[in-house]
Amino acid sequence: MAMISGENHGLRLAVRYAVLGLIAVIFIFPLVFMVVSSLKPDQQLLLDTKSLRAFLPVGDISLDNYVAAFQRAPVGLFIFNSVLVTGATVLLSLLVCSLAGFAFVFINWTGRELVLGIILATLIVPFETIAIPLLLLMSKLPWLGLDGLTWGWLNSYRVQIVPLVADGLTIFLFVQYFKDLPGELIEAARVEGATWWQIYRRVVMPLSGPILATAAILKFLIMYNQYLWPLMVVQDESYRPVMVGLQYFFQLNRAWGEIMAYLSLITVPVLGFYLVLQRAFIASIASTGVKG
Amino acid sequence: MARISLKDVRKSYGSTDVIRGVDIEIEDGEFAVFVGPSGCGKSTLLRMVAGLEDITSGTLSIGDRVVNDLPPKDRKVAMVFQSYAIFPHMTVRENVAFGLTIAGASKAEKDAKVAEAARILQMEPLLDRRPSQLSGGQRQRVAIGRAIVRKPEVFLFDEPLSNLDAALRMDMRMEISKLHKQLGTTMIYVTHDQVEAMTLADKIVVLKGGEVQQIGAPMELYHHPVNAFVAGFLGSPSMNFLDVEVVEANGDAVTVRNGALDPVTVSRASGDYVAGGRALLGIRPQYLVPAADEAASALHGTVGLAERLGTETIVDVALKDGKSLIAALSQDAILEMGAPIGFTFDPAKCHLFAARSA
Ligand SMILES: Nc1ncnc2c1ncn2[C@@H]1O[C@H](COP(=O)(O)OP(=O)(O)O)[C@@H](O)[C@H]1O
Ligand SMILES: [Mg+2]
């Protein structure tokens, strides 16, 4: 009996791994294609797509496409801009949205249901519908910078960051998570003399590792993939993010190899972000003991 | 240390009145227990004292300050919750020191005070553990440690023992009692368990439906309950209540009877009784004495289930009029189911209450 159930178990495991492997392959192949193609001259790249050679680094392999990509566009600057804008927005968003969620769940104030309802209602408003009014608003906002008071936020980092920091979805995620935290923990902290800020800092945030990681991933993906908004508000190349930078490669004399090289380059920060966050995610679950 | 006073305190959630005008005075250093059935508003009342719930109307003072509008952190109270509410991401030491950390105490001060609390609660070996590595009883100690370390003026306990098993509950009950004697701080303790109330309290407040039924020392409430609810709530097994007919009311002496009960004259504590009316006669199971001779007894029935506990025998008696009651006989007794049994009792130990409203 034991033998049979053991074999059974082994078989089930094998099937599970096979399915997982297949899914992994489906996800990975486009990436492999991208990286492999970035190493090939255009003619070979197009020919290879007719066979499995498309996924193999064979034939005339070189880094020429990367060199050409850097010549065609300030790739490093675009990546820097995107990482800066995305990083700043993610951090600010975690702060602002978690504070908002905290206020909605733990603090009793008149009108909180109504305000939360309005914020949640914004979830069904597509960004495109508010893009133009938002653009007009941004073009008129004041800014006190190194060269004194100026008007209009267009062509800057802040115009890509500030309007996108707070969003209904992230606030909603925090609200849901906070509602599930044991309320007596917060009450105990209040009786112990903690201020709201101390409760946020010392009790709620240390227990929020999983939701911080989740919200950060979502926000990162949304921000790193920004296209429409920066296209509208940034004409100056020096503030341009990676997705808008892709345009450079679809103009005259389109070169697929260079496009693949550019895409490979702008994927690197995403992978880096994932690795860092995954480790933080696991560490936070292990240390808070929220699970188990 | 401080006395606590509640004057006509009320609490409503929308149109639901949860606390309906409560007046309670708790002296400095007193151990007060709020007791009552589940849902009677004990926790709500305690949370109002803590500042975790708003007071709809009335006046709440701690010491000589009216604290109605003070946030919890300014009330100098400490609270132990039913779920313990210790912080899962902190060690025991950090948990106990939490209030001191919040107040910006120095490391030396924290270490000294945590060490003292740990000594009092005998939990020195636990200080560097995480809550997930503690048993229920140990978590309870941590919660109490966190409360005593700040030297608050008032301790609040909300059913702190209800998640523990029976043996541990008794240990902790005694420890809490010891702690009160040691610290001498005013304490309010909420429970639905009358044994905890009777054993711990200097003063018991019996609550029902958001109203105070009676306030007094445990034995005062036990011997002189003002109504059938208090009489039935305190004491184990619960007091028996017989529906009786008033035969004669003569000054304070009231004679009552029913189908199973021969006429008996008891003295009234309160209330109006007229001949021919109805009343409720309360007799504690312990005060029923089995009569050697059935004919000589005042209360007649037959033996139902009997539980022999060794020191005591609890008998369920089917009365002649179809009702039943519980008797607690003070020694081990072998009783045959269905056999006739009769009881006598001291009328002075009976309580007469107004009849249950139909
Ligand atoms: N937030 C609330 N909204 C409405 N009713 C409530 C709320 N909190 C408690 N209650 C009601 O108040 C009553 C008293 O509750 P509680 O003080 O918790 O009782 P106890 O602690 O004595 O069991 C209960 O009937 C409960 O349903
Ligand atoms: Mg309760």
Side-chain angles (χ1 to χ4, degrees), chain B residues 11-14 16-19 35-47 53 82 158-159 190-192 207 210:
Chain B
K11 173 80 186 175
S12 318
Y13 292 106
T16 328
D17 298 330
V18 174
I19 302 294
V35 67
S38 183
C40 70
K42 310 178 293 286
S43 298
T44 307
L45 207 49
L46 193 74
R47 293 163 52 82
E53 301 278 356
Q82 188 170 357
D158 191 355
E159 311 219 9
V190 158
T191 180
H192 64 267
L207 291 160

Side-chain angles (χ1 to χ4, degrees), chain A:
Chain A
M1 282 307 282
M3 272 299 288
I4 294 172
S5 82
E7 270 172 29
N8 225 337
H9 182 70
L11 190 68
R12 224 180 308 156
L13 214 59
V15 170
R16 187 178 301 173
Y17 275 111
V19 171
L20 288 178
L22 192 68
I23 294 173
V25 164
I26 293 172
F27 275 93
I28 285 172
F29 263 35
L31 288 176
V32 173
F33 175 79
M34 175 183 82
V35 175
V36 166
S37 301
S38 73
L39 302 171
K40 298 173 179 175
D42 264 26
Q43 223 170 359
Q44 192 203 330
L45 188 160
L46 293 172
L47 269 177
D48 283 356
T49 54
K50 297 191 179 74
S51 70
L52 272 182
R53 290 169 65 91
F55 300 105
L56 300 173
V58 291
D60 190 3
I61 296 299
S62 75
L63 289 177
D64 290 354
N65 288 327
Y66 288 85
V67 176
F70 274 99
Q71 275 161 2
R72 192 195 283 240
V75 180
L77 177 68
F78 293 165
I79 293 180
F80 172 81
N81 289 343
S82 268
V83 168
L84 181 78
V85 167
T86 303
T89 315
V90 168
L91 290 180
L92 286 172
S93 169
L94 293 183
L95 179 71
V96 170
C97 297
S98 66
L99 280 170
F102 183 92
F104 283 121
V105 176
F106 300 121
I107 305 178
N108 206 347
W109 43 281
T110 6
R112 68 171 166 172
E113 297 296 328
L114 180 71
V115 176
L116 183 61
I118 292 172
I119 286 178
L120 294 188
T122 65
L123 285 176
I124 57 166
V125 180
F127 181 75
E128 284 76 1
T129 58
I130 61 160
I132 301 291
L134 194 58
L135 173 74
L136 292 176
L137 178 66
M138 289 299 134
S139 69
K140 297 199 166 65
L141 285 181
W143 183 260
L144 195 56
L146 287 179
D147 26 283
L149 190 64
T150 53
W151 296 86
W153 280 22
L154 303 187
N155 284 319
S156 64
Y157 288 126
R158 63 181 178 272
V159 74
Q160 302 179 68
I161 296 171
V162 177
L164 302 179
V165 160
D167 69 287
L169 181 64
T170 312
I171 292 175
F172 175 71
L173 288 177
F174 278 108
V175 165
Q176 284 310 102
Y177 185 84
F178 291 163
K179 276 187 179 162
D180 287 342
L181 287 179
E184 292 199 337
L185 288 182
I186 282 73
E187 294 181 342
R190 289 180 66 195
V191 175
E192 287 296 304
T195 59
W196 287 120
W197 174 250
Q198 286 170 321
I199 294 172
Y200 171 83
R201 265 283 292 111
R202 292 177 182 277
V203 179
V204 173
M205 277 304 104
L207 294 174
S208 297
I211 193 64
L212 287 169
T214 308
I217 290 171
L218 277 178
K219 195 72 179 184
F220 178 93
L221 290 179
I222 293 168
M223 286 309 297
Y224 199 71
N225 291 325
Q226 278 294 320
Y227 180 73
L228 177 66
W229 182 244
L231 188 67
M232 289 168 65
V233 294
V234 173
Q235 274 78 47
D236 187 340
E237 192 177 67
S238 51
Y239 298 109
R240 196 161 282 168
V242 290
M243 292 306 158
V244 180
L246 196 56
Q247 283 178 326
Y248 286 63
F249 298 87
F250 283 95
Q251 285 156 359
L252 300 172
N253 57 35
R254 180 175 308 171
W256 286 108
E258 286 177 42
I259 291 176
M260 293 303 159
Y262 182 72
L263 290 178
S264 302
L265 286 170
I266 68 175
T267 309
V268 173
V270 181
L271 293 178
F273 176 78
Y274 259 114
L275 290 179
V276 170
L277 214 66
Q278 196 182 27
R279 202 165 298 169
F281 190 62
I282 291 170
S284 85
I285 287 185
S287 77
T288 58
V290 165
K291 290 267 155 62

Side-chain angles (χ1 to χ4, degrees), chain B residues 169-355:
Chain B
R169 208 178 306 161
M170 193 162 152
D171 285 351
M172 286 304 294
R173 204 169 72 207
M174 292 183 171
E175 291 218 23
I176 289 175
S177 188
K178 232 165 52 189
L179 195 68
H180 176 247
K181 294 204 169 63
Q182 212 167 335
L183 302 176
T185 312
T186 313
M187 293 190 178
I188 304 180
Y189 185 105
V190 158
T191 180
H192 64 267
D193 181 347
Q194 58 96 16
V195 177
E196 284 175 22
M198 297 293 286
T199 51
L200 287 170
D202 296 323
K203 177 184 276 175
I204 295 182
V205 178
V206 182
L207 291 160
K208 181 190 164 202
E211 286 172 341
V212 171
Q213 301 296 304
Q214 192 172 1
I215 300 179
M219 284 309 136
E220 185 187 334
L221 266 55
Y222 186 82
H223 292 299
H224 307 288
V226 295
N227 60 28
F229 177 79
V230 175
F233 197 82
L234 299 178
S236 170
S238 296
M239 184 182 282
N240 295 297
F241 294 105
L242 305 177
D243 288 305
V244 292
E245 182 194 329
V246 178
V247 180
E248 196 185 341
N250 193 353
D252 274 352
V254 181
T255 307
V256 297
R257 53 158 298 180
N258 74 11
L261 176 72
D262 297 341
V264 57
T265 303
V266 299
S267 60
R268 101 172 81 191
S270 62
D272 280 332
Y273 304 94
V274 289
R278 312 291 308 173
L280 209 54
L281 183 69
I283 313 171
R284 294 203 181 274
Q286 287 81 359
Y287 297 148
L288 289 169
V289 182
D293 179 3
E294 220 265 313
S297 61
L299 194 57
H300 312 273
T302 52
V303 175
L305 278 180
E307 290 181 334
R308 295 171 64 194
L309 304 175
T311 52
E312 212 180 27
T313 309
I314 312 288
V315 205
D316 189 17
V317 178
L319 292 176
K320 242 167 62 180
D321 64 347
K323 305 277 173 52
S324 66
L325 61 65
I326 302 282
L329 312 185
S330 63
Q331 328 83 4
D332 190 23
I334 302 173
L335 297 165
E336 194 186 331
M337 206 164 176
I341 188 168
F343 295 98
T344 57
F345 54 85
D346 178 358
K349 289 188 169 152
C350 291
H351 302 273
L352 198 61
F353 302 110

